[in-house]
Amino acid sequence: MPVRHLLATTAGALAGGLWSAAPAAAHVSVAAGGIGGSGRFGATTFAAVSLAGAIIGGLAVARPASGGRGRALLALAAGLVGLVLSAGHLALTSDGFGNGQGRAGAIVGVVLGVVGTGLGGWAATRARRTT
């Protein structure tokens, strides 16, 4: 058997084995509670990103001259990222509250993401008017 044929057969077998194992691994991670690792940790992380966007957005609205447009855009981006990740996590959780999937944390993350995105957009609009 030529070496090329042996390498091609081995690579094909490995790729086929990895390809068939990928959907099973994806199913396990979704069944474990959404995206971002284990349920509560992922939801808490996404809620923290949303909270950071809301805090930065509040500071950007309260003091538009100190942070300028950069702080407003940072709040907008952090709020939007937290919102999207929390909504994705919430969509992939299957059971109700109290089972460890992080459903309540994802809901808090969605609400804080909306607040952070709104404050960031408001601060960006105010910063654009002053410049």
Side-chain angles (χ1 to χ4, degrees):
M1 179 181 290
V3 174
R4 284 187 201 171
H5 183 67
L6 181 63
L7 291 175
T9 306
T10 306
L14 286 174
L18 292 175
W19 183 263
S20 63
H27 178 69
V28 170
S29 71
V30 169
I35 57 176
S38 67
R40 288 184 184 147
F41 178 74
T44 304
T45 304
F46 303 149
V49 170
S50 297
L51 178 64
I55 290 172
I56 295 169
L59 291 173
V61 168
R63 299 182 217 142
S66 66
R69 191 165 169 84
R71 186 182 286 176
L73 293 178
L74 181 63
L76 186 63
L80 189 61
V81 167
L83 172 67
V84 168
L85 290 175
S86 294
H89 186 87
L90 185 61
L92 293 177
T93 56
S94 57
D95 293 333
F97 298 108
N99 61 4
Q101 287 187 349
R103 194 167 181 86
I107 291 171
V108 169
V110 166
V111 171
L112 289 174
V114 168
V115 169
T117 303
L119 288 173
W122 184 21
T125 303
R126 287 178 61 185
R128 185 175 45 211
R129 279 190 224 153
T130 59
T131 58

